[in-house]
Amino acid sequence: MGCIVRTMLGRSSNSPLRLSRLLTIIVGALLATCLGFFLLLNAWSSSQTIIAYDSMLAFLAITCSAAILVQYRVREHAEQTVFHAALFFAAIISMGRAIIIIYENNPVYEYSRIHLLIDLVFLAIFSSLVFIGMVMKKKGWLENRRQSAVILILSSVLIHLFLSFVIIPTLPEDSFIIVGTILGIYSGIVLPMCGFMWSTTPGGSTTYEANLFVAGFAIYGLSYIPFLVTLYFPSNAWTISYILWSMGLVILGLAPSVAFQVRIGMKLSRAYLIPLALSLLVIVPTGTTLTVVTYMPTPPTPNVALFIVLHLGASLIALSMAFLMNLYNTHRPAPQRRPVILLFITWATIESYQVIKAVLTPPNTLELSIIPYLVGSVLLLLELPKAIKMTGSTPEVQPTFSKSDLLIVPAVFAAILFSEYTQITMWGSGGYWGFQPLCRALLLASTLLSMFLFFYYTSVQIKDGKGRITVDLLATGFLALWIVPSLIKANFQEWTLGWWSSELILLLAILMGPSFLGLMYLKEMSRAEASQKRATLFADLLVHDISNYHQALALSIGLLEMEDAGPLVKEQAIRDSKNELQRADHLIRNVRQLGMADQLTPERLSSVDLIPILQEAFQLTSRKSPLQEVRFKIDYEFETCLVLANSLLIDVFLNIFDNAIKYSKGIPEIEVAVTETALNHEPWWSIRVSDHGEGIEPERRARMFERYMKDASGTGLGMSVAGTIIHAFGGSIKVEERVPGDYHEGTVFTILLRRA
């Protein structure tokens, strides 16, 4: 997967389709597929491998479906409904395959030509759904989208079941090659074609990352080739198709997620990392475990002591999460946190039950059960929709966590005990396999649905936080360390290496949970403190200065109202009133710019041509002194000097030019030199603004960019605004003497901005 990640990072999430980048992604995925094929070459004869891999495919499809649904929530499109239906259909079929193999309870898996034809039927139905979405995007059909999605999913599943269990078993053996070839070629043509047409239609590049979108469909479509090879020449080549499916789903999941997260303000690298990390959370344990089991088969190794330590630690970390989330919620209430806190308490309760049972059970007689995980999955299905619904809402009464909510602890204990009592009463003692295969199938289905809701809720949190990694998002992410082990436990027998891999995920939560959440908690508190200080600063500025301007205006109006005031006095009063109004307007503009600059992030910058900005700033400044001659000169080597900035850049030069004119000793002279430079082997632009004015004393120069600087003739905010804006752009600004050693001969401002 590493080779894919490196090729996918680019300058923009909604970059146009580029052949070189597209081919790089496809080649990287094919190389990763070849690696997976050779590593798992000897594992595919095991039913455990097929169950685990089908579960992983269902997981990838369901998370990709959730990503599409979030896009639909933000901006409704008919084709997203169909695409969501296609992925949900893929998840249901993959999950169904796993459940059927669980019920067969045969350790050896034999892939027959009937299985191969059923897989080609699935691929053709999936391709048809994508094609329907493409047609609807072109025609603008599909009005009632929710009902249409349900109808598409149900009809597709029913068609697949009818063809798989009624038609295909009755087909003569010699017709398999013809039918399979038609289905395979159809899918191989339709999927890449739809991906290309979809990405090149208006609006497609803002909804999906075009290169990832086309590459994902192309890789998924290529899966027909290994199927046909197996059809003509019986072999294990069909396993390559399964690996291609997983690669295609990973890339298809990234296409909408990256575009969506960058569009709402998240940094590009982070937008790739979050969905990819969720995918790898299942891919890595599943792939590693299957590889190790293939080459180093080991018998089950019970270790009750380690089991107790891991689950006790998981219980403590879940309680810590609940406590910190509740503490955070008391300072910054949000309705969606209550369901999440309840889920962490549920997690802690389930892990505590496992510990208590292990401690009270005599040595070597511990029979593990997946019933607690099934109870947890059911509660996830109940609470996550509440959190999704509450996110972004502002109810009249904020639902906060209370002592009565702790009743969930005995309720969870009672549900687990009742379920295990029912198991023993109706099916007899059997521990982990007591409900086999019913319990495993239910756990698999409920966990996959929980993962769908989890990924959807994570995306909603990213949208609500405008792309920031918030405490809520991080806490929600740790729920995956509870959900994923349940998915893995449904696939592997107790105490086996695969089963222990799910325990290692709990260990990961124990080691990383407190530090990450504590760090984010401190970061949020620091941000809140900074916001409070900024609000106090702005309030002081407005109250203090506006009050002064108000008094000056009141005095001028009072002079104008005096009948015995002479014409000269009234003219001066009018001039003073205009000056005070201009100063008040300048203060308000500076405060607004200061607030906007504080909210700037690198991903919200764009390419700006520096030379027109400088020219416009000079023209605006010189209009303030129409009767005064101002000499202005710009030296630059290139006609176009692009920098990473935004519309606030002009305010920097307005402040600098305004001061240069205001404090000039004679005819104002402003000289600007734009040159190319390099910092840390990266291209930058250097802008030197020189004047021949009165200069700035060294002690005042040291405080030049402080907010609300004392001894300033105006509001004391102008240069503070300039410095804040430049730093928000990732650049730097400094002030020096034009003539070294003599500050009376003018000032030089040197600004460095990153080249776009």
Side-chain angles (χ1 to χ4, degrees):
M1 290 298 299
C3 56
I4 302 177
V5 178
R6 286 191 295 272
T7 62
M8 290 189 297
L9 294 176
R11 292 295 298 270
S12 175
S13 70
N14 55 356
S15 57
L17 193 61
R18 296 173 183 170
L19 183 60
S20 59
R21 190 158 178 252
L22 176 63
L23 291 176
T24 304
I25 297 172
I26 293 176
V27 170
L30 293 178
L31 291 174
T33 300
C34 293
L35 178 63
F37 172 72
F38 287 111
L39 288 176
L40 300 176
L41 186 60
N42 299 320
W44 295 99
S45 59
S46 169
S47 294
Q48 181 176 272
T49 300
I50 306 300
I51 294 171
Y53 210 86
D54 274 329
S55 300
M56 186 181 73
L57 288 175
F59 166 84
L60 294 174
I62 207 82
T63 53
C64 187
S65 175
I68 298 297
L69 197 60
V70 172
Q71 291 270 20
Y72 176 79
R73 177 174 176 168
V74 176
R75 187 178 180 184
E76 294 187 2
H77 288 291
E79 76 281 356
Q80 292 178 6
T81 302
V82 185
F83 190 22
H84 162 67
L87 290 164
F88 215 90
F89 162 74
I92 291 174
I93 298 304
S94 297
M95 183 177 63
R97 266 198 309 260
I99 291 174
I100 290 173
I101 298 172
I102 289 174
Y103 268 92
E104 290 176 350
N105 200 21
N106 188 350
V108 179
Y109 182 75
E110 296 181 1
Y111 190 80
S112 65
R113 300 185 83 186
I114 291 181
H115 290 129
L116 193 152
L117 204 58
I118 290 174
D119 284 337
L120 284 170
V121 166
F122 157 76
L123 189 61
I125 295 175
F126 180 85
S127 304
S128 299
L129 287 172
V130 175
F131 180 74
I132 292 172
M134 184 67 252
V135 173
M136 289 180 173
K137 184 177 181 66
K138 293 287 187 181
K139 301 293 186 180
W141 296 342
L142 205 65
E143 292 299 327
N144 198 331
R145 297 179 174 91
R146 292 187 179 180
Q147 292 183 6
S148 300
V150 174
I151 292 172
L152 284 170
I153 294 170
L154 291 178
S155 59
S156 301
V157 171
L158 291 175
I159 291 171
H160 183 272
L161 292 175
F162 177 74
L163 293 175
S164 301
F165 295 101
V166 178
I167 301 300
I168 292 178
T170 62
L171 290 176
E173 187 78 15
D174 54 3
S175 66
F176 280 18
I177 291 180
I178 298 175
V179 175
T181 301
I182 294 173
L183 293 173
I185 293 176
Y186 166 77
S187 304
I189 294 174
V190 168
L191 281 177
M193 178 190 70
C194 288
F196 176 78
M197 293 178 65
W198 209 328
S199 64
T200 54
T201 53
S205 61
T206 59
T207 308
Y208 308 100
E209 207 285 348
N211 298 282
L212 293 174
F213 197 68
V214 176
F217 275 127
I219 293 165
Y220 210 92
L222 287 174
S223 63
Y224 85 95
I225 297 176
F227 281 139
L228 293 187
V229 170
T230 306
L231 191 62
Y232 284 91
F233 310 100
S235 62
N236 278 343
W238 60 272
T239 60
I240 299 177
S241 297
Y242 275 44
I243 300 174
L244 285 172
W245 282 353
S246 64
M247 292 293 166
L249 287 172
V250 169
I251 296 174
L252 283 175
L254 288 173
S257 298
V258 171
F260 167 72
Q261 290 168 184
V262 170
R263 193 168 67 249
I264 62 175
M266 181 174 283
K267 191 176 180 181
L268 181 60
S269 58
R270 190 175 291 168
Y272 275 101
L273 183 61
I274 291 177
L276 193 60
L278 291 174
S279 299
L280 293 178
L281 200 58
V282 168
I283 292 175
V284 171
T286 302
T288 303
T289 301
L290 292 177
T291 304
V292 173
V293 169
T294 302
Y295 295 100
M296 293 185 298
T298 56
T301 53
N303 190 328
V304 178
L306 180 59
F307 176 84
I308 292 174
V309 170
L310 287 174
H311 286 266
L312 180 61
S315 177
L316 293 175
I317 186 63
L319 280 176
S320 300
M321 294 282 191
F323 173 77
L324 289 175
M325 285 294 291
N326 187 48
L327 182 63
Y328 181 63
N329 195 48
T330 57
H331 294 287
R332 301 184 66 179
Q336 71 271 17
R337 294 198 187 107
R338 180 175 174 272
V340 175
I341 294 171
L342 289 175
L343 287 176
F344 278 119
I345 293 176
T346 301
W347 183 5
T349 304
I350 290 173
E351 300 300 341
S352 300
Y353 173 84
Q354 301 278 43
V355 171
I356 293 171
K357 182 178 179 180
V359 170
L360 297 179
T361 302
N364 302 322
T365 61
L366 177 62
E367 293 182 344
L368 298 179
S369 173
I370 56 176
I371 289 178
Y373 301 101
L374 184 57
V375 172
S377 294
V378 171
L379 286 173
L380 279 165
L381 293 176
L382 294 175
E383 294 298 328
L384 280 179
K386 296 179 184 178
I388 293 170
K389 185 178 181 180
M390 292 177 181
T391 301
S393 64
T394 54
E396 294 181 2
V397 179
Q398 290 283 353
T400 57
F401 185 80
S402 61
K403 292 182 179 179
S404 61
D405 290 321
L406 293 176
L407 292 174
I408 195 172
V409 175
V412 171
F413 266 101
I416 296 173
L417 290 172
F418 175 77
S419 300
E420 294 204 335
Y421 172 77
T422 305
Q423 167 192 333
I424 296 172
T425 303
M426 300 183 65
W427 283 275
S429 179
Y432 187 87
W433 303 103
F435 272 171
Q436 207 276 355
L438 177 61
C439 198
R440 293 179 66 195
L442 289 175
L443 179 61
L444 182 61
S446 60
T447 303
L448 284 171
L449 289 175
S450 299
M451 204 65 215
F452 171 80
L453 293 172
F454 162 78
F455 194 88
Y456 184 81
Y457 180 52
T458 301
S459 301
V460 171
Q461 286 287 344
I462 292 172
K463 176 181 176 293
D464 190 58
K466 296 180 174 59
R468 292 189 297 111
I469 303 296
T470 62
V471 169
D472 293 304
L473 179 61
L474 189 64
T476 304
F478 273 100
L479 287 176
L481 301 177
W482 176 28
I483 301 173
V484 173
S486 299
L487 182 66
I488 296 175
K489 287 181 188 298
N491 298 326
F492 296 98
Q493 189 178 359
E494 61 180 340
W495 303 119
T496 60
L497 187 61
W499 184 89
W500 276 113
S501 68
S502 66
E503 299 295 294
L504 290 177
I505 295 179
L506 289 180
L507 179 61
L508 182 67
I510 295 170
L511 294 176
M512 300 177 62
S515 57
F516 273 121
L517 192 61
L519 180 63
M520 289 304 299
Y521 184 79
L522 292 175
K523 186 177 179 181
E524 285 293 321
M525 290 297 102
S526 176
R527 183 182 288 114
E529 183 180 355
S531 299
Q532 180 64 34
K533 288 182 177 179
R534 187 165 58 249
T536 302
L537 170 67
F538 292 168
D540 289 345
L541 285 170
L542 293 174
V543 171
H544 178 270
D545 284 63
I546 293 295
S547 176
N548 290 340
Y549 302 149
H550 178 269
Q551 292 177 8
L553 285 170
L555 178 61
S556 298
I557 293 172
L559 291 174
L560 291 172
E561 290 177 343
M562 294 177 59
E563 297 180 357
D564 56 346
L568 295 178
V569 173
K570 291 186 176 182
E571 288 178 5
Q572 184 62 42
I574 292 173
R575 285 195 296 270
D576 291 342
S577 298
K578 290 181 178 180
N579 290 334
E580 296 303 321
L581 286 172
Q582 289 177 353
R583 293 182 65 192
D585 178 70
H586 191 62
L587 171 67
I588 293 170
R589 184 167 60 89
N590 278 336
V591 170
R592 179 184 62 83
Q593 292 164 353
L594 211 52
M596 292 174 63
D598 284 342
Q599 296 175 3
L600 279 179
T601 53
E603 55 268 18
R604 292 178 177 147
L605 303 181
S606 59
S607 180
V608 177
D609 193 352
L610 182 61
I611 303 304
I613 291 290
L614 290 167
Q615 294 170 341
E616 183 181 358
F618 170 71
Q619 291 174 1
L620 291 174
T621 307
S622 59
R623 288 173 189 167
K624 296 179 181 180
S625 306
L627 301 179
Q628 185 179 16
E629 179 187 356
V630 181
R631 296 172 183 172
F632 183 70
K633 179 182 178 183
I634 305 180
D635 290 329
Y636 52 94
E637 300 176 2
F638 303 92
E639 292 184 3
T640 302
C641 304
L642 299 179
V643 296
L644 283 176
N646 65 10
S647 59
L648 289 178
L649 180 59
I650 192 172
D651 293 293
V652 174
F653 298 109
L654 284 174
N655 277 301
I656 295 175
F657 294 168
D658 186 59
N659 286 336
I661 294 173
K662 185 184 299 183
Y663 299 109
S664 61
K665 291 186 291 187
I667 298 176
E669 295 184 47
I670 302 174
E671 299 170 354
V672 181
V674 181
T675 57
E676 191 177 23
T677 185
L679 290 177
N680 299 323
H681 307 289
E682 293 184 357
W684 290 65
W685 290 109
S686 172
I687 306 100
R688 286 174 53 88
V689 182
S690 306
D691 65 51
H692 298 260
E694 300 173 358
I696 306 171
E697 300 91 337
E699 58 272 13
R700 294 190 67 228
R701 200 164 57 234
R703 298 181 285 110
M704 177 60 62
F705 302 107
E706 291 180 1
R707 291 185 179 181
Y708 206 35
M709 187 183 72
K710 296 179 179 180
D711 304 326
S713 60
T715 63
L717 271 179
M719 295 314 301
S720 173
V721 168
T724 301
I725 292 173
I726 292 298
H727 291 142
F729 292 160
S732 64
I733 181 172
K734 65 178 181 179
V735 57
E736 301 171 300
E737 299 163 340
R738 191 179 66 83
V739 177
D742 188 358
Y743 73 86
H744 295 94
E745 294 300 319
T747 305
V748 176
F749 287 88
T750 303
I751 299 171
L752 293 178
L753 290 173
R754 193 182 301 272
R755 183 172 179 175

